[in-house]
Amino acid sequence: MAGKEALFSKMVKAGAKTYFIDVREAKNSDNKYVTISESQKKEDNTYSRSRVLLFGKSLPLIVEGLQEAAEVVGL
């Protein structure tokens, strides 16, 4: 996955954290997937990073869940 050019990329700054949303294509098929990466600078000037991969078939369910969570939060 590393080094493969993104089909779409967006950076979202939210307070002390930065999120990167990328769409990539799986190398063994025509399937596309979304990665959401979180980066946060730590006190020792290093970065903490984590990543979630979301494949196309599950994406509508994830979006629906996020919309429901947003409603509960009051958005």
Side-chain angles (χ1 to χ4, degrees):
M1 289 181 294
K4 195 147 195 201
E5 190 172 324
L7 302 172
F8 169 85
S9 188
K10 181 168 178 89
M11 180 178 69
V12 178
K13 289 192 174 242
K17 296 182 181 183
T18 303
Y19 298 93
F20 300 92
I21 303 166
D22 298 302
V23 176
R24 299 184 186 274
E25 191 168 20
K27 61 183 172 181
N28 295 332
S29 69
D30 291 333
N31 290 331
K32 294 179 180 77
Y33 61 94
V34 175
T35 62
I36 301 174
S37 305
E38 176 190 71
S39 179
Q40 181 175 13
K41 193 171 187 177
K42 299 189 314 185
E43 290 181 18
D44 63 358
N45 286 329
T46 61
Y47 286 87
S48 169
R49 293 187 174 102
S50 58
R51 178 184 292 175
V52 176
L53 296 160
L54 305 168
F55 285 89
K57 290 181 180 179
S58 64
L59 199 54
L61 298 171
I62 300 297
V63 169
E64 181 181 326
L66 287 170
Q67 288 174 331
E68 291 175 10
E71 289 174 13
V72 171
V73 171
L75 298 177

